[in-house]
Amino acid sequence: MTEIESPRWALSAEQVLLAYEALLARSGRMLDCVRRQDWDALMDEEAHYLVDVEQLSSREQDTALDPSQRARKAELLERILERDLEIRRCLVARRDELAGLIGTSRRKRDLRRSYGPQEATSMDSAFHLDEDTP
């Protein structure tokens, strides 16, 4: 059980920082999943990430951090956001790649629909011509 998953009472400053470190680690795993194009693992990691963020958000509200702890939290958040940005860039690239594949598939389908019947008819004609040829 991680610090984030413990019962729903306020976290100590140290627990808050540990929770952000856990989020940073999870965001690293998510980035690895994207780079490997392991979409199932990414979805699993992201589901856990969202639960952890929600729990942390609700439990850290009353936690006081001293200046060095606030600086550490800001550093962790910055690193998490950098990873999030890279994950989003990779996902946008993948979305664009899939959109291109879908577009190509649609064009092929449309061409088959447009020219397929004519192609079959002309092949039938060619076949009949061949039969008449000695």
Side-chain angles (χ1 to χ4, degrees), residues 60-89:
E60 77 164 319
Q61 293 174 352
D62 298 325
T63 304
L65 302 176
D66 65 34
S68 67
Q69 291 167 328
R70 282 194 302 270
R72 177 69 179 144
K73 177 183 170 182
E75 174 191 329
L76 290 167
L77 278 169
E78 185 175 331
R79 291 177 62 198
I80 290 168
L81 291 173
E82 287 170 356
R83 288 181 179 172
D84 181 64
L85 182 59
E86 183 160 352
I87 289 167
R88 289 176 189 272
R89 284 182 186 144

Side-chain angles (χ1 to χ4, degrees), residues 13-72:
E14 187 60 34
Q15 288 173 317
V16 168
L17 294 176
L18 288 172
Y20 277 100
E21 288 173 3
L23 288 175
L24 178 63
R26 189 170 300 278
S27 69
R29 289 191 300 274
M30 290 168 57
L31 183 55
D32 289 341
C33 291
V34 169
R35 288 177 176 160
R36 291 189 325 266
Q37 297 187 0
D38 187 348
W39 310 119
D40 291 334
L42 173 64
M43 289 173 44
D44 184 53
E45 288 290 343
E46 186 175 25
H48 286 89
Y49 179 86
L50 293 172
V51 169
D52 290 348
V53 166
E54 180 63 32
Q55 289 178 356
L56 176 59
S57 174
S58 68
R59 294 184 53 209
E60 77 164 319
Q61 293 174 352
D62 298 325
T63 304
L65 302 176
D66 65 34
S68 67
Q69 291 167 328
R70 282 194 302 270
R72 177 69 179 144

